[in-house]
Amino acid sequence: MQTNPTPPAFTSLVAVGDSFTEGMSDLLPDGSYRGWADVLAARMAARTPGFRYANLAVRGKLIGQIVDEQVEVAAAMNADVVTLVGGLNDTLRPKCDMGRVRGLLTEAVERLAPSCKQLVLMHSPGRQGPVLERFRPRMEELFACVDELAAKHGAVVVDLYGAPALADPRLWDVDRLHLTAEGHRRVAEAVWQTLGYDPEDTDWHIPMPATPPPGWLARRTADVRFARQHLLPWIGRRLTGRSSGDGRPAKRPDLLPYEDLA
């Protein structure tokens, strides 16, 4: 008789990164964000009594800031699983030194991989549209570096960039930079399966059913709202050297027994 393989015995998780890992824009009623890492931690905690979880991610962080502010803290926690997603904010800057980005990502992986049982890296998802096309070469250079580091250091890679569903604009918030709650749920499922757990949704990567595209007026209205509420403030921060994460603490800075964050 065939039996199911024993599920992984992971007892702790530390998430490292920027707004993607913080959970924007999976908004909760109290104004905080949930996100894929919280969803993943909840699932893992349901299987493992005493499961511990920390989320060091802060929105807007560049890979250098992640290395300086999060990597050593995460490594010292000696968690079973560490997720690291960073560098995409760098690729979206007008001036980006990809050699420096690769070097910093290498530094982060070299420090984190020996500190945990399983390091998880990702190809970040990309929303369809002109922004992706403009920055695609940098993103793909970043993902090639991720693959090389994973092969060298025994990390696993979750390929969200190659998942057709996550390119769908309907899974992205109005800011066009962050996933919706459904997008984050699908990411959590992808990481869950990559870690060796039995699938809860085998179709997470399959696109949603087609719907009629919005009309011209609806598209233009959305474009104007996006420019006013998100694009212009983003440009303003770039011009003044500010970040949306300035002064913000880590989301869940201590590796403590999991509590339901929903």
Side-chain angles (χ1 to χ4, degrees), residues 76-131:
M77 291 178 175
N78 294 118
D80 284 352
V81 178
V82 174
T83 66
L84 167 64
V85 189
L88 194 64
N89 283 335
D90 298 78
T91 68
L92 298 178
R93 296 290 177 110
K95 296 181 179 179
C96 174
D97 183 346
M98 287 303 298
R100 181 173 183 273
V101 171
R102 292 193 305 271
L104 287 165
L105 185 61
T106 299
E107 180 181 343
V109 170
E110 289 177 345
R111 182 66 184 93
L112 290 172
S115 76
C116 63
K117 290 182 179 179
Q118 184 61 69
L119 178 63
V120 178
L121 307 176
M122 297 188 198
H123 298 171
S124 302
R127 180 186 185 276
Q128 291 176 350
V131 173

Side-chain angles (χ1 to χ4, degrees), residues 12 16 20 22 25 35 39 52-53 96 150 167 175 180 194 207 212 216 227 247 261-262:
S12 53
V16 174
F20 174 66
E22 184 184 344
S25 292
V39 174
R52 297 176 299 151
Y53 170 52
C96 174
D175 67 1
T180 62
T194 300
W216 181 90
L261 303 178

Side-chain angles (χ1 to χ4, degrees), residues 9 14 34 55 81 99 134 136 185 196 208 215 245 248:
V14 175
R34 180 173 49 194
N55 190 325
V81 178
R134 178 180 178 184
R136 186 186 296 274
R185 185 198 66 79
M208 296 190 299
R248 289 185 177 273

Side-chain angles (χ1 to χ4, degrees), residues 137-148:
R138 290 180 183 175
M139 293 171 63
E140 294 184 348
E141 183 177 349
L142 177 68
F143 300 153
C145 179
V146 165
D147 289 341
E148 292 170 5

Side-chain angles (χ1 to χ4, degrees), residues 43-251:
R43 290 190 185 185
M44 297 173 77
R47 285 181 173 264
T48 307
F51 185 83
R52 297 176 299 151
Y53 170 52
N55 190 325
L56 307 180
V58 178
R59 68 195 67 174
K61 294 299 181 181
L62 303 174
I63 186 61
Q65 294 170 310
I66 291 172
V67 169
D68 291 342
E69 301 168 12
Q70 300 179 33
V71 166
E72 287 298 324
V73 176
M77 291 178 175
N78 294 118
D80 284 352
V81 178
V82 174
T83 66
L84 167 64
V85 189
L88 194 64
N89 283 335
D90 298 78
T91 68
L92 298 178
R93 296 290 177 110
K95 296 181 179 179
C96 174
D97 183 346
M98 287 303 298
R100 181 173 183 273
V101 171
R102 292 193 305 271
L104 287 165
L105 185 61
T106 299
E107 180 181 343
V109 170
E110 289 177 345
R111 182 66 184 93
L112 290 172
S115 76
C116 63
K117 290 182 179 179
Q118 184 61 69
L119 178 63
V120 178
L121 307 176
M122 297 188 198
H123 298 171
S124 302
R127 180 186 185 276
Q128 291 176 350
V131 173
L132 175 63
E133 293 307 315
R134 178 180 178 184
F135 296 105
R136 186 186 296 274
R138 290 180 183 175
M139 293 171 63
E140 294 184 348
E141 183 177 349
L142 177 68
F143 300 153
C145 179
V146 165
D147 289 341
E148 292 170 5
L149 291 170
K152 183 176 180 180
H153 295 280
V156 294
V157 178
V158 184
D159 183 16
L160 305 173
Y161 181 71
L166 294 177
D168 190 328
R170 292 173 294 175
L171 288 180
W172 293 76
D173 192 48
V174 294
D175 67 1
R176 304 181 183 181
L177 287 174
H178 301 106
L179 292 169
T180 62
E182 173 60 15
H184 279 283
R185 185 198 66 79
R186 292 180 183 232
V187 172
E189 179 66 34
V191 183
W192 173 260
Q193 293 183 27
T194 300
L195 287 172
Y197 293 102
D198 292 336
E200 295 189 9
D201 176 11
T202 57
D203 296 334
W204 71 267
H205 59 288
I206 296 177
M208 296 190 299
T211 57
W216 181 90
L217 181 60
R219 295 197 306 271
R220 297 292 78 77
T221 300
D223 289 343
V224 170
R225 183 173 66 163
F226 162 70
R228 183 177 65 249
Q229 296 182 0
H230 302 287
L231 180 59
L232 292 178
W234 184 85
I235 293 173
R237 290 194 298 271
R238 299 291 80 75
L239 293 175
T240 58
R242 293 178 292 116
S243 167
S244 57
D246 288 347
R248 289 185 177 273
K251 178 176 183 177

